Amino acid sequence: MRLDSNLAFSDYNHLRDLFNSRALKVIDMLELFIRRIKEKTHLNAFVEVFVDKAREQALESDLRFVNKNPRPLEGLIVALKDNILYKGFECTAASDILKGFIAPYNASIVEYLLEAGVIIIGRTNCDEFAMGSTGEHSCYGAVLNPLNPEFLAGGSSSGSAAAVAAGLCTVALGSDTGGSIRLPASWCGVIGMKPTYGRVSRYGLIAYANSMDQIGPIARTVDDLAVVLETIIRKDRHDHSMSIKNEGFKYIKEEYTDVKFIKIKEFDEDPNLNPYQKKAINDIEVILKSKGYSIDLISFPDIQHIVKAFQLLSSGEASSNLAKYDGIRYGASINKGQKPIEIITNNRSALLGKEPKRKIIFGSYALHSDNYDNYYKKALQYRELIKDFIEKHLQNNHILLTPTSPIIGAKKGETEEFFEQYSLDFYTVIANMSGTPSVSIPVGYAKNGLPLSIQLTGYWANDNQILNIAQMICDNISL
Ligand code: GLN
């Protein structure tokens, strides 16, 4: 079957039905996506489409359907952020310094997805080394928002969110260190989830800040998100940070009538919060209350320091993670200089972008023995405060309700200012610093067509609970 590529992706359910009834083959669906990617190159969502390999996989997948032995995710067409290794293909983390680097092995989640029968359509653009919140800090250029291309897609998993929103794939994988799945999902009007830290293997993810990095899915429906989580949440002996009890994950649909919500007073009073976004949160509160849920307002004045503490910790980890990019061992080199130190300095100066350089300098400063006690150690202590807050207020089925992003979009260059850009992570980093699960869902639109969203953050390992509540909210709003 040849599909008209203009078939609106709002007609997603229609496509889904065709696919499920097998009226539409996997290869038809793939060809549709490939045509659309070509038509929408202006979005800059993909940096490479694995046309030949994906076609091969789609044909194999169709054959398994014919032979009546489909796998759990048979035929699901998935895109990978350009920081997740896929054996035999280039992976650059959108950095010039990794141009030409071919992944020597598959990330564990890639292994799991392939075993489950997915088709990997391509790799998506992102902020360099996943550093950024807008999607404009990439060596491939900025990713535009499919809902309104005058605006950016949000970052750092910019291409993944834009690809799902524009109907260029079914599901995309991203990484979230401080909001990088949830924030672009929020700006592009799709659903994005950061699972509980330690439930999804980081093996084969190019590290930014190991203690907070987490891979997760971006999709149009909670069900799509959940099937992917069922496949990627798995204990992996390659990732030793998976210390929590991890026996896999099964999405169980439950009502969770005993859930209670909390809001943080200082978030509520944030002067930077967009008025449309503020109204969206209030509307959701009305719905929740009408369904009998309680919402408590809790004051946490120290929350004002959260972005600074996050920056200290993430930059500190980044400065040591990025030390290995010297342009000698792998990736690109400008081949200038005599002594190794000259070659390394020249490569790093020429090939690393502005944002990673900022993080390396800032992180090295914070970790220096003269400064450690004043900065890095304080940020570590602050992180304990955040964990205490979660322990105290989110146990016993409490969920933190917040916006995902203070603003609903930005144009290129608008948030260039150091602190302006970092303040975009105000609501998201709490889940990374504590390791809790967090999901962003679209709940409406502003006048300019840009989406509004809310974020649900749950207690450790309550991934199933926040997914169910996300579904309940989606069922109660009309988009
Ligand atoms: N915007 C944050 C930063 O640049 C977080 C990015 C992310 O989650 N990868 O550090």
Side-chain angles (χ1 to χ4, degrees), residues 109 112-113 173 199-201 216-217 228-234:
I109 63 123
Y112 305 157
L113 288 167
L173 275 299
R199 289 195 102 171
V200 178
S201 171
V228 171
L229 287 170
E230 287 182 340
T231 303
I232 64 172
I233 292 185
R234 190 154 131 187

Side-chain angles (χ1 to χ4, degrees), residues 187-430:
W187 285 16
C188 291
V190 288
I191 309 177
M193 169 132 171
K194 182 199 89 72
T196 301
Y197 182 83
R199 289 195 102 171
V200 178
S201 171
R202 292 180 296 105
Y203 183 68
L205 168 70
I206 294 180
Y208 162 13
N210 315 47
S211 77
M212 294 181 278
D213 295 340
Q214 190 70 130
I215 294 176
I218 299 177
R220 297 190 147 245
T221 66
V222 171
D223 283 335
D224 281 352
L225 209 70
V227 289
V228 171
L229 287 170
E230 287 182 340
T231 303
I232 64 172
I233 292 185
R234 190 154 131 187
K235 185 109 181 140
D236 178 18
R237 66 184 174 84
H238 293 303
D239 179 353
H240 295 288
S241 61
M242 306 186 83
S243 54
I244 69 160
K245 212 167 135 228
N246 192 345
E247 285 155 2
F249 174 72
K250 180 90 195 109
Y251 178 44
I252 300 166
K253 295 194 180 182
E254 280 179 58
E255 263 216 57
Y256 287 106
T257 42
D258 52 349
V259 155
K260 294 187 176 69
F261 291 86
I262 65 158
K263 294 202 308 168
I264 295 180
K265 187 166 161 278
E266 289 69 19
F267 277 165
D268 238 33
E269 292 167 356
D270 178 7
N272 298 319
L273 183 59
N274 175 289
Y276 283 107
Q277 188 55 66
K278 200 175 179 113
K279 182 172 178 313
I281 279 276
N282 292 342
D283 292 348
I284 295 301
E285 268 189 71
V286 172
I287 293 176
L288 292 175
K289 282 186 184 152
S290 75
K291 297 190 78 66
Y293 292 103
S294 68
I295 304 171
D296 283 347
L297 198 59
I298 293 176
S299 177
F300 184 20
D302 291 324
I303 202 77
Q304 300 298 346
H305 305 298
I306 196 160
V307 171
K308 285 174 246 167
F310 168 78
Q311 281 304 327
L312 282 164
L313 297 174
S314 60
S315 304
E317 293 186 37
S319 69
S320 73
N321 275 324
L322 268 59
K324 59 182 169 284
Y325 303 113
D326 50 22
I328 294 177
R329 283 171 283 192
Y330 32 70
S333 171
I334 59 164
N335 292 318
K336 247 176 85 184
Q338 300 296 322
K339 300 187 194 126
I341 189 69
E342 285 165 13
I343 299 173
I344 293 171
T345 309
N346 290 335
N347 280 339
R348 282 166 73 80
S349 304
L351 300 174
L352 282 172
K354 193 163 82 180
E355 197 54 31
K357 276 181 187 153
R358 264 181 190 172
K359 297 252 152 93
I360 291 169
I361 293 168
F362 186 51
S364 309
Y365 183 82
L367 284 176
H368 190 281
S369 57
D370 287 352
N371 309 323
Y372 184 86
D373 283 356
N374 283 338
Y375 299 110
Y376 200 77
K377 196 167 155 199
K378 286 228 165 70
L380 285 172
Q381 286 164 343
Y382 180 84
R383 191 172 187 178
E384 293 309 310
L385 277 184
I386 295 290
K387 289 184 188 162
D388 289 348
F389 178 86
I390 300 287
E391 187 61 59
K392 190 157 165 224
H393 296 290
L394 288 195
Q395 59 170 310
N396 301 327
N397 295 324
H398 282 76
I399 290 180
L400 173 64
L401 172 68
T402 64
T404 310
S405 160
I407 59 173
I408 58 174
K411 294 182 178 168
K412 234 169 136 177
E414 256 179 14
T415 58
E416 258 311 286
E417 277 307 307
F418 193 72
F419 283 111
E420 212 174 311
Q421 186 198 149
Y422 295 161
S423 67
L424 298 181
D425 306 329
F426 191 36
Y427 307 118
T428 46
V429 291
I430 188 165

